[in-house]
Amino acid sequence: MIGARVFCITTSLQRSSSIFFLPKIPTRPVSRISSPAIRSIITMSSSTTTTTGSKNQEELDSIFKQKKVVRSTVRKSLKAMDPSLRIQQDDAIQNTVLEAPWFKSCRGLCAYISCKSLNEVDTSKILSQILQHPDPNTQKKLYVPRVEDKNSNMRMLHISHMDDLIANSMNILEPASVDSLGNEREDVMQADEPIDLLILPGLAFDRCGRRLGRGGGYYDTFLKRYQDRAKEKDWSHPLMVALSYSPQILEDGSIPLTPNDVLIDALVTPSGVVPISPRAIERM
């Protein structure tokens, strides 16, 4: 993560009894700062075949297989969640966000549109609060994701109303590329002002900031692009906050990492906020 080293918070943040953890899945986590071996994979020509390169590729293949195992385990746990518990946790998580000073003070943010079939933490109440009941004194500019292709390309486009959303081929709501007047929607990557907050989905998380997505790489790709833009513009990096049901929170170290994975700043769980990075600890 650009800007700050991520620390595990274990003493000041006690694990609530309302959060349970999956058994630790044996993995071989990769350091967030890539080793020379991993860096050699990134720079290695595709035509070069060496014994070292082969071992490095085997290591990455092993990590991807470990991620697949973790994804399968968490998906089963989410599918088994009692519907009433899910509703309770959705309400608790969204209320925590809406009441948080760091949310109230933000002026620009990116937030995902939850998909029920993917068992994502609901964001409808948060989006509704921003779009349908805006506070003129604290009006927020909202950007939401639009998937462009199958190559991990995703844009965050500005919307002003829930009616700006349409269902895509997978029946997931996303903004049309143009508004009702036929004008191109503003892309956060071309915006003149920075955003303060990113509200992120994910499949699994731990309290060291590790986030496991669904395998498409869309968010990691977008987050790195926005971090590069913020650095270019000399903007402060937005707070990256993920929303998580109880079964999605794993033991520290259970989520393997590759050099392309982006760490989060904080988690919002049914029991409250878990700040992780020094930036989050300072702001939360």
Side-chain angles (χ1 to χ4, degrees):
M1 178 182 298
I2 296 176
R5 178 183 176 188
V6 175
F7 295 89
C8 294
I9 309 301
T10 57
T11 56
S12 61
L13 296 170
Q14 299 299 320
R15 294 176 177 175
S16 168
S17 59
S18 64
I19 296 183
F20 60 90
F21 293 81
L22 297 178
K24 184 172 182 179
I25 301 170
T27 62
R28 285 192 303 159
V30 174
S31 172
R32 184 64 187 91
I33 302 175
S34 59
S35 66
I38 295 299
R39 286 196 295 270
S40 70
I41 292 177
I42 299 173
T43 58
M44 183 176 59
S45 168
S46 59
S47 62
T48 303
T49 55
T50 63
T51 302
T52 301
S54 176
K55 288 182 179 179
N56 292 336
Q57 188 58 54
E58 288 177 2
E59 182 178 359
L60 282 179
D61 289 343
S62 175
I63 292 171
F64 292 139
K65 288 179 182 179
Q66 293 163 18
K67 286 190 174 187
K68 187 175 181 180
V69 171
V70 179
R71 287 189 181 102
S72 177
T73 302
V74 176
R75 283 193 179 104
K76 290 177 182 178
S77 296
L78 286 172
K79 189 175 181 180
M81 276 187 76
D82 182 90
S84 61
L85 176 62
R86 185 186 301 276
I87 292 173
Q88 291 174 14
Q89 295 200 1
D90 278 331
D91 287 342
I93 292 169
Q94 291 188 96
N95 287 339
T96 295
V97 172
L98 291 171
E99 294 169 4
W102 45 266
F103 174 79
K104 292 180 178 180
S105 64
C106 82
R107 293 294 178 268
L109 75 157
C110 293
Y112 72 95
I113 301 167
S114 54
C115 178
K116 189 173 182 180
S117 63
L118 295 178
N119 292 317
E120 293 177 326
V121 173
D122 188 17
T123 56
S124 60
K125 189 174 180 180
I126 297 171
L127 300 182
S128 175
Q129 184 70 27
I130 296 171
L131 298 175
Q132 297 180 17
H133 307 286
D135 182 340
N137 297 319
T138 58
Q139 183 63 52
K140 306 181 192 304
K141 195 167 189 178
L142 174 65
Y143 300 86
V144 295
R146 175 183 171 85
V147 173
E148 296 297 327
D149 54 38
K150 296 182 179 179
N151 297 316
S152 302
N153 291 314
M154 178 182 74
R155 293 194 293 160
M156 288 283 183
L157 303 182
H158 172 56
I159 64 169
S160 302
H161 308 280
M162 292 300 290
D163 292 342
D164 293 339
L165 304 176
I166 58 175
N168 64 13
S169 59
M170 297 180 64
N171 205 35
I172 298 175
L173 291 176
E174 62 181 19
S177 58
V178 297
D179 62 22
S180 58
L181 299 177
N183 300 316
E184 288 285 332
R185 294 191 185 280
E186 183 181 42
D187 188 324
V188 73
M189 293 297 295
Q190 277 76 53
D192 294 328
E193 298 292 333
I195 57 171
D196 308 304
L197 177 65
L198 280 154
I199 296 180
L200 306 172
L203 194 56
F205 312 92
D206 72 11
R207 292 169 182 258
C208 287
R210 298 184 181 198
R211 171 189 170 273
L212 180 67
R214 297 179 182 275
Y218 289 95
Y219 274 90
D220 285 324
T221 300
F222 168 77
L223 292 173
K224 288 196 172 187
R225 287 178 59 222
Y226 192 83
Q227 287 175 334
D228 288 342
R229 177 165 174 78
K231 184 177 181 180
E232 175 189 337
K233 291 285 189 178
D234 198 26
W235 291 339
S236 296
H237 294 293
L239 202 61
M240 295 185 290
V241 180
L243 311 186
S244 176
Y245 291 124
S246 297
Q248 295 177 276
I249 305 173
L250 308 186
E251 289 186 8
D252 297 340
S254 292
I255 300 174
L257 289 179
T258 69
N260 291 327
D261 294 324
V262 177
L263 302 181
I264 61 173
D265 291 309
L267 275 172
V268 180
T269 77
S271 297
V273 178
V274 181
I276 299 170
S277 71
R279 180 167 62 242
I281 293 171
E282 179 181 351
R283 292 180 58 181
M284 293 179 161

